[in-house]
Amino acid sequence: MQRLNGSAIASLALVVTVGALAFPVWSYADRSGTAQANMASGMVNTQWGPLTASDRDLIIRVRLAGLWELPAAEQAMQRSDSPAVKEAADHLIVGHKDLDERVRNVAAQLGVELPNVPNAQQQAWLQQMNSATDDQYDRVWANLLRSAHGKIFPAIGQVRNGTQNTLVRQLASDTNQTVLDHITMLEKTGEVDFDAIANGTI
Amino acid sequence: MRRSKGSVLVAVAVVGTISAVAYPVFYSYPNRNAAAAAAVPTGDTVTTQWGPLTPADRDLIVRVRLAGLWEGPAGQQALERSGSKSVREAADHLLVGHADLDKRVRIIAAKLGVELPNQPTAEQQGWLDQMTAAKTEADYNKTWANLLRAAHGKIFPAIATVRNTTRNTLVRQLASDANQTVLDHITVLEGTGEVDFETIANNSVSGTASPTGPPPPVPGQVPPAAPAAEPSTNPRVSSVPSPTTPGLVPTGRPDPEELNNEQGEPIVQ
């Protein structure tokens, strides 16, 4: 009986030891090398170089930007009295028409399926603009758009740096230039709440 | 007695084993990012007449200065050592671009009271040494272009983050200017044909870069055509789109205003 207990304890200890050794292997999901493996797993080869999940994500996001910012800009042209807001809206319309043409070309060449309607969040932003009173309109409009452009801006930089696909590389350069222009024009309206942007509350 | 000595030994061994395997799980693994966190800029946000100045703002100012301190010499060396037309062209852009940015960053730092380094970092000095040590011209061109492209690629998204979040008007303009210059340099460095994109891609992902995202295209399957996103009305617009010629990044901009004697005050406005 005594001996049996000893064996049981020893076996238990062995099982625990092996389990404990195995645990970190399972839990080190982000150990070095995993990020590269994850990148590779979502990657397909194209004649313009490898196309990763991040590349496709940028393509989709550029398309989505046009889908909600064009109606937003058109609405501002009609609703706002501010010359600076109208000027920003002018840049949004011209810039996103241009980018949309580019992104449709890139997506068609790479075989990436594009959405044709804004996503739920973007529709909610359009709703917020719709329901803003005339007094609030310029502020709501400029801040929602500035916030969205500011969020995508560093993401474009990441893809511009890391992509191995020549079509995506050019798209990222073009998008970087357009988005910086839009950020600058939106800030010129004088309506942007920089504290809220810095705190991430819009 | 003999038996109990053996048990003690076994018990000690078991405890030792357990703590050894537990160590990475409970201590070193959760603290694995401590070194990275320590590198995050520290200090307080201070108030200036151009808006709050955060540690991240000061970090960008210092990094723009440091870029000039090592890329200037690197550009100059390439003009002396490389016979490649495209490398010399890239070196030309680096010299012109960083002379311009350095002027801007010195003016801004003086106004904001930020102390600037006057020497490249040890890491940057190491890159310069690697370039110097390259034996053949082919080796030189490759080392030169890749070290510079990697450094520009790392700062590029960081500039964008500061451009988005800064509340300081001087830093905001510096970030816009740096964005143009760095994208231009990335583009001309890639134009040398020496850049190893796979290495850059592998070094650009970190953490748990997830394999999610939109589905990959299916070979032989053409996705449905996407109609143009266009204004539904026909608004009168007069601006021009930002992207110009592929490979050309507009970096032309008026010279910065000089500082007057009372440092910290712009001459005009």
Side-chain angles (χ1 to χ4, degrees):
Chain A
M1 189 62 196
Q2 176 85 226
R3 188 195 164 92
L4 200 67
N5 269 345
S7 300
I9 288 167
S11 321
L12 193 67
L14 272 173
V15 168
V16 170
T17 304
V18 171
L21 282 169
F23 175 73
V25 175
W26 166 80
S27 75
Y28 275 36
D30 56 350
R31 69 193 185 281
S32 91
T34 304
Q36 283 79 4
N38 279 346
M39 179 177 73
S41 78
M43 195 156 81
V44 290
N45 283 314
T46 76
Q47 65 181 104
W48 300 274
L51 181 76
T52 64
S54 321
D55 293 337
R56 297 192 293 276
D57 191 49
L58 182 72
I59 292 171
I60 304 282
R61 285 175 78 176
V62 171
R63 167 71 171 171
L64 282 169
L67 290 174
W68 88 277
E69 291 176 29
L70 282 165
E74 263 185 291
Q75 192 192 53
M77 288 281 208
Q78 288 154 11
R79 275 194 67 179
S80 177
D81 293 326
S82 152
V85 168
K86 284 177 184 288
E87 169 101 37
D90 186 317
H91 279 241
L92 293 185
I93 290 172
V94 171
H96 283 290
K97 261 185 80 171
D98 173 82
L99 277 188
D100 191 68
E101 205 176 312
R102 290 170 195 270
V103 80
R104 281 183 289 110
N105 269 329
V106 168
Q109 282 173 283
L110 294 171
V112 172
E113 187 174 349
L114 294 177
N116 293 317
V117 287
N119 67 27
Q121 189 182 36
Q122 294 170 329
Q123 286 181 19
W125 292 333
L126 287 169
Q127 275 306 317
Q128 276 187 61
M129 290 177 181
N130 280 334
S131 54
T133 63
D134 288 348
D135 291 356
Q136 307 163 331
Y137 184 78
D138 288 353
R139 196 159 184 78
V140 169
W141 186 85
N143 280 288
L144 285 173
L145 283 159
R146 172 61 182 79
S147 166
H149 281 86
K151 275 182 198 133
I152 202 176
F153 195 51
I156 297 162
Q158 301 268 13
V159 173
R160 179 61 186 79
N161 177 38
T163 187
Q164 299 176 67
N165 189 285
T166 54
L167 295 179
V168 174
R169 189 171 300 139
Q170 187 58 48
L171 180 69
S173 282
D174 295 339
T175 309
N176 169 274
Q177 296 295 290
T178 303
V179 170
L180 181 56
D181 173 62
H182 293 178
I183 284 177
T184 307
M185 295 308 296
L186 289 163
E187 289 171 352
K188 277 192 190 163
T189 63
E191 301 287 351
V192 172
D193 179 350
F194 288 106
D195 286 331
I197 299 270
N199 299 330
T201 49
I202 345 173
Chain B
M1 191 58 202
R2 210 190 152 83
R3 184 191 165 101
S4 89
K5 250 188 188 163
S7 300
V8 168
L9 201 67
V10 167
V12 166
V14 166
V15 169
T17 307
I18 288 173
S19 43
V21 296
Y23 173 77
V25 177
F26 295 105
Y27 180 75
S28 73
Y29 184 65
N31 289 305
R32 70 202 178 280
N33 289 329
V40 164
T42 51
D44 294 327
T45 295
V46 294
T47 311
T48 76
Q49 66 181 103
W50 298 276
L53 182 76
T54 64
D57 293 335
R58 293 194 291 273
D59 185 53
L60 182 72
I61 291 172
V62 169
R63 285 175 78 176
V64 170
R65 167 72 172 172
L66 284 169
L69 289 175
W70 87 277
E71 292 175 27
Q76 220 159 346
Q77 195 194 50
L79 287 183
E80 287 155 18
R81 284 193 58 177
S82 179
S84 153
K85 205 173 154 231
S86 57
V87 167
R88 297 175 69 86
E89 160 112 32
D92 187 307
H93 279 242
L94 292 187
L95 287 170
V96 172
H98 284 291
D100 171 86
L101 276 187
D102 192 65
K103 190 169 167 189
R104 289 168 199 275
V105 82
R106 281 183 287 111
I107 292 171
I108 288 172
K111 285 184 184 176
L112 295 171
V114 174
E115 191 182 338
L116 293 179
N118 295 315
Q119 294 294 325
T121 63
E123 189 183 35
Q124 293 171 329
Q125 193 54 58
W127 294 332
L128 287 171
D129 292 346
Q130 275 187 62
M131 291 174 181
T132 307
K135 296 229 161 51
T136 63
E137 192 182 312
D139 186 20
Y140 181 81
N141 290 342
K142 190 145 204 79
T143 306
W144 186 85
N146 281 286
L147 286 171
L148 284 160
R149 172 60 181 76
H152 281 86
K154 264 178 213 141
I155 203 176
F156 191 55
I159 294 166
T161 301
V162 172
R163 179 62 187 79
N164 177 33
T165 54
T166 187
R167 286 171 287 163
N168 189 287
T169 55
L170 296 180
V171 174
R172 189 172 299 140
Q173 187 59 50
L174 179 70
S176 285
D177 294 339
N179 180 77
Q180 297 306 101
T181 302
V182 171
L183 182 56
D184 172 59
H185 292 179
I186 285 177
T187 308
V188 289
L189 287 164
E190 290 171 352
T192 64
E194 301 285 352
V195 173
D196 174 1
F197 289 107
E198 198 181 334
T199 303
I200 290 187
N202 282 324
N203 292 338
S204 74
V205 290
S206 61
T208 46
S210 143
T212 58
V218 182
Q221 201 172 304
V222 179
E230 279 176 326
S232 52
T233 55
N234 195 14
R236 279 175 45 202
V237 287
S238 56
S239 57
V240 289
S242 304
T244 48
T245 319
L248 285 182
V249 180
T251 51
R253 51 196 175 227
D255 262 353
E257 69 208 7
E258 297 289 348
L259 285 183
N260 64 10
N261 295 333
E262 294 163 50
Q263 241 184 12
E265 294 296 319
I267 301 168
V268 287
Q269 264 165 31

